[in-house]
Amino acid sequence: MTVIRPAAIAGSFYPADAQTLRSTIASLMAQAGQPGADAAIPKAIIVPHAGLVYSGAIAADGFATILPAADTIRRIVIIGPAHRMAFQGIAIADATAFATPLGNVPVDEGAINALLALPQVQRLNAAHVQEHGLEIELPFIQHIFANQPDIAIVPLLVSRCAAHQVEEVVEKLWAGPETLIVISSDLSHFHDDATARKMDDRTRQLIENFTAEELGFDDACGCLPIVGLLRVARKRAMKVKTLSMQNSSTASGDTSRVVGYGAWAFFDGKAGAVPKASQDDTAETEFAQGTEAIIKQHGRDMLRLASAAIQHGLANGAPLAPDMTTLPPALREAGACFVTLKQQGTLRGCIGSIIAHRPLGQDICENAFKAAFADPRFAKISAAELTGDLAMSISVLSAPKPFPFKDEADLIARLTPFEDGVILSDGARRGLFLPQVWDQLPDPRDFLRHLKRKAGFSMDYWSETLQAQRFVTRGIESHDIFPGESLWAQSGLE
């Protein structure tokens, strides 16, 4: 069945009349020029998404670089930020084609179905209905591929998710020369011209140096799509070229409140041509992959071990000391974890370790016991509570790393919702939020305000001596760990 996503911004961001739109795009592309016959073909481009009168010339500079590949490219992945609504993850429209006054552009349904296997990707038509950030790129694509009716797009909107989740999508769709990646993003928003130029030049430097970790939402509305691309490009030793930059004052004449625009092209490079992943980035990736493998193989054993520790605590009033010789080697290695208990969705206890200082299996037992019996916020767990209403999760923590920031706005901008665990400290006071807290506090400002309160500060507290550390977690959760026969006995630890 054919489902068309109709044009939402025709007549506002670009002309609604097909002939006028066609001539406007042709004029912009002619001004951008034609690359030479021997010009390198980019694998990915970053282009802006404002109205054509404001950013069309910059977008044309980006799209002009792919002209020599018009006969090769068959699929265009367009990734941009969601402006119209907030949601968790990455949204796909329930459409088989996207329309503009120039006609319909088919969606690559095979790629869409493959992406839906990823937990961060969902069908959410409402996010696409009024969205401009992807649609504004379509007339350029229709102009370039006018003689290629089989060209298809993969339109993706990014909202609340982690950079590595965008990176995973980019990697999954990377493919060969038939696939082009288009990142749709503007730069700084609503500063005066001088401030905007300074901010946008810093963003240029970050992109040129593949410094994904320092790019924030104040730098670009499409921060997460850009960071996802930068992480992939850095691993693949790509080269990047800044094509052009300007801001809205060029068209409007108003220098008091401008929006920045830029275009970049990413090309295949030789190994060592660009910076490799930083040591921290590599360590985090290795932790995530290694921990995911441990959880996949031993996750149920970890939950059973924690359950046995709680049941042992009920019977003996002390933590379980597991026989380390019977545990899998992975659980004998040093590790830090948090054990969280929830009763009918409400927190019932949460205790953990920040730094790995003992075998992970032992850390699980100790923290499970403390979550059940030593969390000062709650009464001790009773035997009657060990039912299907009591859910347990175990989060294994990476080593915390310094998380530098200039001021509170910068700290807020650099937080990655649903990925970052944060430790906030000043003097003797310290507070920690696991990444799971983002589920209750998805706004970075709220997240920080409540973290301050947990650390013992007022919500509006600020000090030049305030420090932050960042960590990531991987974990497992179960809602059926306590019912039925004693899992203590099942675990072989009895």
Side-chain angles (χ1 to χ4, degrees), residues 75 77-79 90-92 108-123 154-156 165-166 168-174:
R75 180 176 71 175
V77 179
I78 315 174
I79 311 176
I90 299 170
I92 292 171
D108 185 337
E109 296 183 65
I112 294 297
N113 290 332
L115 287 178
L116 287 171
L118 299 176
Q120 67 269 36
V121 180
Q122 61 172 310
R123 288 192 185 275
V154 184
L156 305 172
Q165 294 177 314
V166 182
E168 184 179 17
V169 166
V170 174
E171 281 280 23
K172 192 174 185 69
L173 296 173
W174 193 263

